[in-house]
Amino acid sequence: MQQAPDSGEGRGKAAEPGQADAATRTEVPAAPQPAAPAAAPPPFVPKPPLMAAAYVCASVVLALTQGLGMNLVAANIPQIQGSIGATVTETTWLVAAYMAPNVSLALALIKIRTQYGLRNFAELSILGFVLACVLNLFISDLQSALVVRFMSGIAAAPMSTLAFLYMLESFSPEKKLNVGLPLALTSITLGAPVARLISPALFDIGGFHAVTMFELGMAMIAFALVYALPLAPQPRAKVIEKLDVISYLLIATGFGATAIVLVLGRLYWWLEAPWIGALLALAVVCITIAAVIELNRKNPLLDIRWLASPPILHFTGVLLMFRLVLSEQTLGASSLFQALGLSNEQTRSVYWVILVASIAGGLTCATLMKHGKEERIHIAALILIAIGAYMDSRATNLTRPEQVFYSQALIAFAGALILPPAMKSGLMSALKKGPNYILSFIIVFLTTQSLGGLLGSAVFTTFVTSREQFHHNVLVEHIALTDPLVAQRVAQLGGAYSRVITDKGLLSAEGLQLLSQQATREAYVLAYNDAFLLITVIALTSLVLLLIHIAIVAFRNRAATPALPATA
């Protein structure tokens, strides 16, 4: 197996989890660019066990700091809206403001880190995150919150990269991809369930400012760890060119506009708000201009032709499919319970199950990847996701967290199995082409894990909204006061207000309103069941396609193997 480079930079393969899921955007630091020759990296020196454990703990703290900074807001929008005096739709702009710069900034940070040094990069980036957390303490309205969240998105971009670098720092070159990579990716995914677990207690203590205080404390601990545990130095190289700046600004504008549309499109509805079309047009223009520039450069920032090759397109499609099926857990289960009127406090138990299952899945993946069983891991993960999604598709309005323990555990376990093998295969493919292709691979992975995560959430929520409208119309068609059963139900519901409302007409109207609310709730349950069934079908279809792909590859390998000569 081809080994990763031995330098501190070459060992870092980073990932960031994605929205309203926040569970799973990924970034990968690139190997030093060969534009300028650099000294050979120092050989790997094993660390003492306690020191190696300290680096692993630092990685987990960095990953949790970044994950909580993103997910604490996304998981508590109904609670935050009161603190800043905004509606739910307006508060969701905080997520968009965070994601807009975050989805593309890792591209710029890769070259900045390579040219100006890893230690300077680490300390300045974590210090910027601490300052952004301090500014969160002064949020008083929506406008100030948007500005601070935008700055937080910028400052948090390096955090997952540092989490990967610290996790891989203690592993020997032959274990970086097989053991360090699954453990680092697992640490990144823990932010979403942990945010759901701790946010009720934080809001009970001091509301939104208690959340920002906790985020500040985590950032300061992370800063202390980065200062006390330096990473191995890397060779520096002058890699930044003027056209790199122009290309990055165009890409950042295009990706940022796309991120805003994907976060807010379902709330304003895709064909209703004119600014959605304007942002999409801006994104297309900026990315097209950037592609034209890169295609005509001698030393491009991105190898567009390689990105458009069939193997990379196949790899991109696989990752997008994974992000879509994993939206069942990152968004589906939590949104279903929210539609049933349950808060984070009431669903805490299911997130404990998700947390434990995710850790177990990461440890299992780290064990199995040592034996080169990447395809078998993906087969098992798809089967588990299909089973879990089908179990969730049988939900009713009486479904509570304890009824989804097994299904969510299966999906969380499978989610921890999926990304490491996919990321490993992509990195190995890029390394075979040379160090220049690492940066191009980064864009593929970043796009599928950040924008891909937002795209999966947008598709899932749009499908749920459409199916809810369909089921609601079907249910309402059968609500008529001429039906004795409907009249009886309306009377029962309105009777709860008979002590305060004496007018029979008002009582009947109140009962009818309550019945309509129940119909809406039932429509949402049916819509989420449809979405879970869709995820099941997608997972099973992907499983069949994967098996066909494995069979075709095996057949070609047998056909290409020359027959052995007959022995006398």
Side-chain angles (χ1 to χ4, degrees), residues 228-288:
L229 301 173
L231 292 166
Q234 67 158 39
R236 299 188 186 185
K238 187 176 181 180
V239 295
I240 299 178
E241 303 176 4
K242 292 181 179 179
L243 282 179
D244 288 333
V245 177
I246 298 175
S247 295
Y248 167 71
L249 291 177
L250 290 169
I251 293 172
T253 303
F255 282 9
T258 304
I260 293 174
V261 170
L262 292 177
V263 172
L264 297 167
R266 67 179 181 88
L267 297 177
Y268 291 90
W269 204 243
W270 307 100
L271 303 178
E272 297 296 327
W275 59 266
I276 292 179
L279 282 181
L280 285 177
L282 176 64
V284 171
V285 170
C286 290
I287 295 176
T288 301

Side-chain angles (χ1 to χ4, degrees), residues 19 249 366 379 398-399 487 540 566:
Q19 162 297 34
L249 291 177
I379 291 173
L398 298 178
T399 298
L540 292 176

Side-chain angles (χ1 to χ4, degrees), residues 538-561:
I538 293 175
L540 292 176
T541 303
S542 302
L543 176 62
V544 172
L545 294 176
L546 177 58
L547 293 175
I548 294 175
H549 173 73
I550 293 174
I552 293 175
V553 172
F555 176 78
R556 288 178 177 174
N557 290 338
R558 285 197 300 269
T561 302

Side-chain angles (χ1 to χ4, degrees), residues 305-323 375 378 382 421-423 425-426 429 441 444-445 448-449 541-553 556:
R305 293 179 178 86
W306 182 67
L307 292 176
S309 63
I312 299 302
L313 291 178
H314 170 77
F315 175 73
T316 303
V318 169
L319 291 181
L320 286 174
M321 182 276 302
F322 284 158
R323 294 312 310 162
E375 292 177 340
H378 280 164
L382 289 172
M423 187 174 180
S425 63
S429 174
F441 169 77
V444 177
F445 211 82
T448 53
Q449 297 307 294
T541 303
S542 302
L543 176 62
V544 172
L545 294 176
L546 177 58
L547 293 175
I548 294 175
H549 173 73
I550 293 174
I552 293 175
V553 172
R556 288 178 177 174

Side-chain angles (χ1 to χ4, degrees), residues 106 133 143 163 234 307 310 343 364 393 438 466:
C133 292
Q143 289 73 24
Q234 67 158 39
L307 292 176
S343 63
T364 302
S393 69
I438 294 292
S466 300

